[in-house]
Amino acid sequence: MVSNLAPPPDRARLVRKVIWIVLAAVVVAGVAWYAALTVGKSQESAPPAAGAEQLVRGDSHRLTSPAVEKAQLVEFLDFECPFCGSIHPVVEEFKAEFGDRITFVHRHFPLSAHPNSGQAALAAEAAGQQGKYQQMANKLFETQSQWAGNQQSQAPLFRTYAKQLGLDLSQFDAVVADPKTEERILADIADGTALGVTGTPTFFLNGEKLTLSTKADFRQKLADALK
């Protein structure tokens, strides 16, 4: 007598059902594992999104104050950077043309390759404490060829600029020496780094980093932002 090794019909259906459930669980687990792995890799490779507050802080230098702001142009700059110096007259031209509708903003991003860029930023900040940030910024760019690249500290020269601008020199000296002034500049650098700034000048128009080719292209992007 041969033993019947086949399970009864009800038991066979149960076995098949269990097998399908196990297979389905394996498939679902595999899909979940793949999704988690993919998302994990995506999160590891993608840089964290920068908040809008990193573009413009409450104490950022706003060069224009339109009655109705239609766009915002943020520039991360280095006063010793030759490219910043060469584009400064263009920015000034556009500021005059679009400043009634676009808020132009300066953020500091002094580069370690420029020995006096930090001192220049300190001088601009100290002038800003007396309401003359723009005047000092303009002076630094206009005279850039006279001091940029000099390995000796140009702080005494920047102090003569402060005197020419009619600043209170005691107050100017105090602000330059105040650690909080350096911290203010370092905060700008931190924001720029978080936003992906690696060189200067770097412009953001309404939060979007600009890639510029010509002056006409720059003007067109500003005009398009107002439409």
Side-chain angles (χ1 to χ4, degrees):
M1 181 175 181
V2 179
S3 299
N4 186 3
L5 300 179
D10 289 344
R11 186 180 174 191
R13 283 195 296 271
L14 178 61
V15 170
R16 287 195 297 271
K17 188 174 181 180
V18 170
I19 290 173
W20 280 112
I21 291 173
V22 171
L23 288 174
V26 169
V27 171
V28 170
V31 171
W33 173 83
Y34 178 80
L37 181 63
T38 303
V39 171
K41 287 183 177 179
S42 175
Q43 290 176 342
E44 289 174 2
S45 59
E53 71 280 359
Q54 288 174 308
L55 277 170
V56 182
R57 298 288 184 178
D59 59 355
S60 295
H61 296 290
R62 293 164 174 80
L63 310 184
T64 57
S65 302
V68 178
E69 180 185 275
K70 294 189 176 180
Q72 196 174 73
L73 180 72
V74 180
E75 178 185 4
F76 282 85
L77 57 82
D78 173 337
F79 289 112
E80 196 169 357
C81 167
F83 302 107
C84 293
S86 63
I87 204 170
H88 177 67
V90 175
V91 176
E92 286 296 293
E93 179 183 329
F94 291 161
K95 192 172 69 173
E97 182 177 352
F98 298 107
D100 59 337
R101 292 158 290 168
I102 297 177
T103 301
F104 286 69
V105 181
H106 272 187
R107 303 293 303 274
H108 296 293
F109 203 81
L111 302 172
S112 58
H114 299 145
N116 283 287
S117 58
Q119 283 293 334
L122 288 171
E125 282 300 307
Q129 290 291 314
Q130 298 186 50
K132 291 192 175 181
Y133 170 85
Q134 287 200 61
Q135 291 89 330
M136 180 61 83
N138 290 339
K139 187 73 173 178
L140 290 167
F141 279 130
E142 289 165 3
T143 63
Q144 187 189 76
S145 62
Q146 301 172 24
W147 58 268
N150 197 316
Q151 295 303 311
Q152 293 182 333
S153 173
Q154 298 299 293
L157 176 62
F158 300 153
R159 192 174 188 272
T160 66
Y161 295 166
K163 184 176 181 180
Q164 292 170 10
L165 293 174
L167 301 181
D168 181 318
L169 293 183
S170 296
Q171 182 181 345
F172 177 86
D173 292 340
V175 175
V176 168
D178 190 341
K180 291 182 179 179
T181 310
E182 183 178 358
E183 292 172 6
R184 161 81 175 74
I185 295 167
L186 291 174
D188 273 11
I189 295 173
D191 281 346
T193 301
L195 291 163
V197 176
T198 57
T200 55
T202 296
F203 293 93
F204 291 86
L205 181 59
N206 290 340
E208 180 183 351
K209 185 188 289 187
L210 294 184
T211 300
L212 303 173
S213 55
T214 64
K215 178 180 177 180
D217 175 50
F218 197 171
R219 175 182 277 110
Q220 188 60 54
K221 282 182 167 61
L222 295 179
D224 289 344
L226 298 175
K227 293 179 180 177

